[in-house]
């Protein structure tokens, strides 16, 4: 970057819009900020610069060195790693930020953690947690001496070592940042209900182009300054991504400022490339930001509800690859996209490159920074905060250490009375809503449970929650609004990304929650789920990371009942994504009725380190099991429903003629209706009914801890009899899970096959061949012994399907025999 350094430039004020929310009185006038002298002594500024150099040195060392860590002899090719990996470009800027955050933590005794949005800046967080001492505390072999330094360098991006990102292995991290876009939502999730916590969230200017990040700026409208903490976003405007300029760096200052102000922030610009001036400017900007955060919090906490604060944020405009090589092979590096990864790549074939690397490393003057043993000199070590104030040691970043069990009501108290199978329910999620209401109420004092969802708490049937809480909402309200308040346990923003990111941040900092979502649209966060599942998989192997509460998805408004919405809202494929992840992390539950749903959710809320997916209906539907039976069934995860089949009326010694299996509420209903047709018309057939609540039971126990042994599977599904399996999701998945089972060749699965529209509930099943009539036809087709009787019944059912079609077209609803069908009445 060739432009001369500018000192800290406070954003001009006075661009208020006609928002109904008055501007906060705390927005400081521009002059008062720019004229504020830096409170830092020249000696402190000089030491901070030295600390920054130390972090930069350690970062470059991690990328390049396998030996000679302090360059106590001339750099040789043998000191350089064979594979040069890592990302330099973002790192010096992040090191700069970290040393300045250390200063304000100490000066104001802040409880602060660091979110590394461009997580490829792993060398920065590793270097800084090493300098502050936390790294050696959790990994004693990476000691604060020359031997430790050598190991620190070698392990980075090295086989058997650590990843290149702000990965779970790095103390202080709650955000790996491998997949860009979620830093700000994670940061907000972390501060909800953490009134004393400030999350400093570094956001890449490239990252800021992603959809999730772009809408995450709005999170400030969901923050309660009285009961939540604060997020300090630091937009790292280093100008470039991997190979392109970043958009926000190529719009005018005015445009960027207006954008950020439009999102409700007060941006403070720190821009330039002269370290001395930049230290001054950054220190002043941070002093102002912390003062504003404290004022906003005090206004709310001491003086009651205030207008929504315009929270401060920082725009750090500094060169990408700052302090690195200026030019390599005639091409500009510092201040360009070419600084993104390893700027000097080929020392073995370019002798000049070795000198460049040595020159670069020596420019940080490590001999002034580390003592004879290789330890950071005391004058610099004292700049880091102490104990748990160090960002690498802050317990919020190891949330499991703070996690407390939820107070739980007895889920059995919410049981639906099921005197006999087939009783009509009120909608399974509506029953669950009452249980969740009381979970909310019982943990109100602890403030450690929240329900997140895009806009669907009501439409997913969880209205009971609003008997005890509200939706948290900090934007303007109108008299006709309902259930909005500055603080509440329900978080609703129409961005699945925000809901997911907030919940992840909330869980990672040691709290509990549920994400309730339409089944089809949970796909929006497939990739975020992937990342969280990866995080959990890795953390399970890290002894000092304590288990966190599971991420619980409640997917109501599912594929089979999209009466209002039709085809676009029908997609059960999230489960397919989920089962790809490590078996020790993922659990998938499809409770067939409300009592099973209660039992499953009770279990999920008590579990740790999992992702639990629960799929449930919200429409009135038949209830099958008493609470006792449901609890047993859910504990087993799969079971033969003797009462539904007719094996008991036959000789017990024989195995059944057919196994009718079902998984999911609607498939269970259709299966039982099919069974009743079969048993009425062909009582001589021996029918077994199997219901699956825990999908992972289908996998072998060698693949998933919940999986059935082959013997148990064979006992339930037989070794050789046809299995007609009605499944909630895409049929292929059941085959995928069960392909190794003895009887797989006889497994015939019906499920969703992308047929659907706005139609009647029963027609949805017909369109996908999972309805009772098709299931009976499937059974007859696989049982030659049904002979002529089977042919006749098949013929009748085929006609029934035609009758169904004519009826719904004429009347706009299902036939009475479908609508009024009840288990136990003759078919
Ligand atoms: C969602 C996502 N898409 C693409 C990438 C690949 N990627 C890694 S770094 C990067 C550029 C990031 O630029 P920026 O956010 O500005 O970070 P910095 O300049 O600080 O390195 C990209 C596109 C990614 N990690 N995540
Ligand atoms: Mg960038």
């Amino acid at each position: 970057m060739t432009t001369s350094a500018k000192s800290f430039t406070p954003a001009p004020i006075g661009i208020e819009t006609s928002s109904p929310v008055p501007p906060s009185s705390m927005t400081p006038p521009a002059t008062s900020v720019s004229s504020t002298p830096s409170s830092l002594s020249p000696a402190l500024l000089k030491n901070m610069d030295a600390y920054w150099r130390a972090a930069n040195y350690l970062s470059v060392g991690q990328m390049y060195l396998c030996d000679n860590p302090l360059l106590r002899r001339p750099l040789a090719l043998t000191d350089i790693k064979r594979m040069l990996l890592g990302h330099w470009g973002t790192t010096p800027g992040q090191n700069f930020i970290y040393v300045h955050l250390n200063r304000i933590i100490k000066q104001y005794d802040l409880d602060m953690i660091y979110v590394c949005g461009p997580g490829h800046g792993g060398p920065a967080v590793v270097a800084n947690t090493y300098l502050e001492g936390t790294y050696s505390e959790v990994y004693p072999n990476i000691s604060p001496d020359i031997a430790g330094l050598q190991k620190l360098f070698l392990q980075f991006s090295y086989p058997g070592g650590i990843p290149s990102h702000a990965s779970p292995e790095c103390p202080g991290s709650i955000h790996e940042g491998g997949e860009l876009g979620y830093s700000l939502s994670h940061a907000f999730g972390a501060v909800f209900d953490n009134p004393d916590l400030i999350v400093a969230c570094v956001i890449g200017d490239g990252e800021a182009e992603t959809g999730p990040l772009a809408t995450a700026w709005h999170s400030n409208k969901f923050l309660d300054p009285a009961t939540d903490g604060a997020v300090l976003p630091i937009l790292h405007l280093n100008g470039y991504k991997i190979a392109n300029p970043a958009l926000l760096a190529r719009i005018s200052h005015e445009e960027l400022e207006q954008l950020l102000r439009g999102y409700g922030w007060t941006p403070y610009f720190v821009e330039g490339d002269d370290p001395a001036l930049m230290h001054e400017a950054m220190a002043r900007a941070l002093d102002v930001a912390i003062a504003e955060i404290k004022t906003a919090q005090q206004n709310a906490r001491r003086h009651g509800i205030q207008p929504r604060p315009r929270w401060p944020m920082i725009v750090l405009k500094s060169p990408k690859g700052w302090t690195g090589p200026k030019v390599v092979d005639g091409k500009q590096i510092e201040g360009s996209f070419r600084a993104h990864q390893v700027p000097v790549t080929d020392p073995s074939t370019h002798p000049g490159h070795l000198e460049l690397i040595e020159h670069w490393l020596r420019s940080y003057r490590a001999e002034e920074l580390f003592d004879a043993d290789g330890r950071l000199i005391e004058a610099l070590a004292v700049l880091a905060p102490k104990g748990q104030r160090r960002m690498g040691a802050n317990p919020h970043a190891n949330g499991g250490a703070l996690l407390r069990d939820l107070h739980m009501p007895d889920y059995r108290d919410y049981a639906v009375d099921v005197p006999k199978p087939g009783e009509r329910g009120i909608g399974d999620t509506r029953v669950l809503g009452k249980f969740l209401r009381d979970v909310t109420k019982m943990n109100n004092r602890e403030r450690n449970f929240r329900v997140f969802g895009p806009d669907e708490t009501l439409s997913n049937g969880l209205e009971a929650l609003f008997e005890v809480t509200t939706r948290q909402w900090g934007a303007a309200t109108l008299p006709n609004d309902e259930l909005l308040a500055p603080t509440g346990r329900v978080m609703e923003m129409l961005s699945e990304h925000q809901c997911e990111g907030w919940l992840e941040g909330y869980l990672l900092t040691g709290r509990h929650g549920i994400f309730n979502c339409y089944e089809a649209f949970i796909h929006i966060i497939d990739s975020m789920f992937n990342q969280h599942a990866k995080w959990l998989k890795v953390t399970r192997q890290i002894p000092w990371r304590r288990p966190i509460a599971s991420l619980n998805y409640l997917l109501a408004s599912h594929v089979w009942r999209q009466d209002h919405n039709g085809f676009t809202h029908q997609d059960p494929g999230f489960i397919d994504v989920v089962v790809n992840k490590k078996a020790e992390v993922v659990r998938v539950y499809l409770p067939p009725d409300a009592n099973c749903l209660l039992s499953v959710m009770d279990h999920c809320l008590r579990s740790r380190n999992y992702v639990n997916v629960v799929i449930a209906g919200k429409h009135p539907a038949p209830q099958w099991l008493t609470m006792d039976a449901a609890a047993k069934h859910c504990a087993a995860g799969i079971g033969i429903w003797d009462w539904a089949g007719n094996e008991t009326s036959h000789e017990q010694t024989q195995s059944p003629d057919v196994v009718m299996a079902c998984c999911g509420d609607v498939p269970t209903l259709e299966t039982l209706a099919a069974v009743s047709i079969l048993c009425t018309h062909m009582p001589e057939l021996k029918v077994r009914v199997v219901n699956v609540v825990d999908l992972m039971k289908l996998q072998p126990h060698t693949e998933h801890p919940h999986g059935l042994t082959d013997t148990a599977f064979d006992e339930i599904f037989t070794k050789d009899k046809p299995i007609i399996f009605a499944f909630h999701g895409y049929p292929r998945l059941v085959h995928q899970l069960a392909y190794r089972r003895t009887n797989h060749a006889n497994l015939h699965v019906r499920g969703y096959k992308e047929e659907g529209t706005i139609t009647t509930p029963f027609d949805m099943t017909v369109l996908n061949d999972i309805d009772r009539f098709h299931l009976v036809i499937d059974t007859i087709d696989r049982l030659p012994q049904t002979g002529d009787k089977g042919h006749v019944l098949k013929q009748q059912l085929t006609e029934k399907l035609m009758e169904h079609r004519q009826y719904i077209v004429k009347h706009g609803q299902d036939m009475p025999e479908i609508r009024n069908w009840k288990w136990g009445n003759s078919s």
Side-chain angles (χ1 to χ4, degrees), residues 1 6-9 52 89-101 114 118 201-206 217 232-240 246 248-249 253 256 260 266-275 277-283 285-286 313-320 322:
M1 190 193 233
K6 283 176 246 151
S7 61
F8 162 50
T9 320
W52 179 43
T90 190
T91 299
Q94 294 206 43
N95 285 335
F96 179 85
I97 292 166
Y98 207 101
V99 65
H100 278 268
L101 295 175
Y114 182 86
C201 178
V202 181
I203 300 160
D205 47 5
W217 297 112
L232 176 63
I234 303 171
L235 177 61
H236 192 193
L237 210 66
N238 62 14
Y240 296 92
L248 295 187
H253 180 105
L256 176 59
L260 298 171
T266 300
Y268 291 104
F269 287 76
V270 174
E271 29 184 324
D273 60 1
D274 178 328
L277 293 177
M278 288 292 277
H279 285 305
E280 288 259 6
M282 187 69 170
L286 284 173
M313 64 168 289
I314 304 228
V315 180
L316 174 65
K317 189 169 180 185
S318 61
K320 189 151 183 167
W322 198 10

Side-chain angles (χ1 to χ4, degrees), residues 338-361:
R338 293 188 201 93
H340 183 71
Q341 288 186 347
V342 180
V344 189
T345 49
D346 236 349
S348 57
T349 50
H350 294 65
H353 281 198
L354 186 65
E355 279 160 37
L356 258 176
I357 296 168
E358 180 162 9
H359 177 74
W360 176 15
L361 279 161

Side-chain angles (χ1 to χ4, degrees), residues 281-330:
M282 187 69 170
R284 277 203 300 268
L286 284 173
D287 284 339
V288 172
I290 295 305
E292 289 192 11
I293 287 171
K294 288 191 177 280
T295 307
Q297 292 179 336
Q298 279 163 13
N299 284 345
R301 294 172 194 184
R302 292 205 191 135
H303 312 301
I305 307 290
Q306 293 283 317
R308 172 167 58 86
R310 289 188 155 268
W311 297 96
M313 64 168 289
I314 304 228
V315 180
L316 174 65
K317 189 169 180 185
S318 61
K320 189 151 183 167
W322 198 10
T323 74
K326 305 262 178 291
V327 175
V328 176
D329 297 337

Side-chain angles (χ1 to χ4, degrees), residues 571-585:
D571 196 305
F574 186 60
I575 323 173
D576 299 65
V577 175
V578 168
V579 301
N580 289 331
K581 286 288 160 286
K582 277 309 226 194
E584 68 252 33
V585 172

